[in-house]
Amino acid sequence: MVLRHNGTALVERLDGQDFDFDYGWRLSGTGTWRLADGDGGQVVRLELTTRTRVDRRLPMTATGASAPEPPSTYSWEFSVDRDRHRALTLHFFHGDPDAGNAYVMTRETAS
């Protein structure tokens, strides 16, 4: 995921949020993002507006004979926190919300 200063975003192989994670698809494409105030603090709202590719994560963990088609557009909401070194982190929860499984994004440093 690349978040640009002008509010545009590039998404590569990003899994679904909450129960959508269980379907096993990964979306790629372009969209927009913005920093907003959420219930528990600041959040990054990411909108995939143009899907360019769908990949699958195996094994799929969804139950049932058929999973729905991957969406052509999608929205994520990442919580904004600080790690133990005070660096910013973005994460969302996946699967059953009661399980507390976090999908944490790491920042790639410039080379």
Side-chain angles (χ1 to χ4, degrees), residues 33-83:
W33 73 278
R34 67 184 176 93
L35 184 63
D37 291 325
D39 292 338
Q42 289 189 311
V43 295
V44 169
R45 293 204 172 108
L46 175 62
E47 301 286 333
L48 178 73
T49 56
T50 304
R51 186 184 79 189
T52 57
R53 189 173 83 228
V54 175
D55 293 298
R56 300 277 181 188
R57 183 183 71 253
L58 296 176
M60 288 183 15
T61 57
T63 58
S66 63
E69 280 295 310
S72 58
T73 62
Y74 195 76
S75 300
W76 292 266
E77 187 171 285
F78 293 88
S79 296
V80 179
D81 288 316
R82 292 203 179 267
D83 67 12

Side-chain angles (χ1 to χ4, degrees), residues 16 18-25 57 59-63 94-96:
D18 297 324
F19 286 113
D20 289 341
F21 181 86
D22 294 340
Y23 295 129
W25 46 254
R57 183 183 71 253
M60 288 183 15
T61 57
T63 58
H94 66 84
D96 184 342

